[in-house]
Amino acid sequence: MSETRENRLKRIWMRSKYRGIREMDLILQQFCQDNLEQMDEATLDLYDALLYENDQDLYQWVTGQVETPEKFRALVHDISLTFNRA
């Protein structure tokens, strides 16, 4: 059985909120609060895939320390805007 949108958003919210690195918890929690409800299915798929990436890598991508892989580049850019606002 497929996951409902409501359950998917809850699951993604929880995975964003409890990452393991406190900085990523805060950044992704704010990003989700600002954007999650409005994401279309393709963007949710991409964001969900991003959540499986290593926290250390993700933090370096968001902070611009390391170049982001092409498939995540636009999404990480949007997330980094949240980081830079905070």
Side-chain angles (χ1 to χ4, degrees), residues 9-86:
L9 294 177
K10 286 178 184 179
R11 178 181 54 77
I12 289 172
W13 169 256
M14 291 302 290
R15 290 198 65 226
S16 298
K17 191 174 177 179
Y18 299 106
R19 296 291 305 171
I21 294 179
R22 185 68 181 143
E23 291 84 354
M24 287 312 305
D25 293 349
L26 296 172
I27 292 166
L28 294 180
Q29 185 175 350
Q30 186 62 53
F31 177 75
C32 281
Q33 185 175 337
D34 294 348
N35 299 286
L36 193 61
E37 291 286 331
Q38 297 82 25
M39 285 185 192
D40 61 24
E41 291 305 309
T43 306
L44 280 174
D45 289 344
L46 185 62
Y47 185 69
D48 202 2
L50 181 77
L51 293 176
Y52 284 95
E53 295 295 323
N54 180 286
D55 263 0
Q56 297 295 334
D57 294 336
L58 187 52
Y59 184 75
Q60 289 180 330
W61 299 340
V62 169
T63 58
Q65 297 174 37
V66 175
E67 188 172 339
T68 304
E70 179 63 36
K71 85 177 204 177
F72 294 126
R73 197 163 288 153
L75 181 58
V76 168
H77 176 283
D78 292 344
I79 294 169
S80 70
L81 295 176
T82 300
F83 168 75
N84 290 326
R85 241 183 349 161

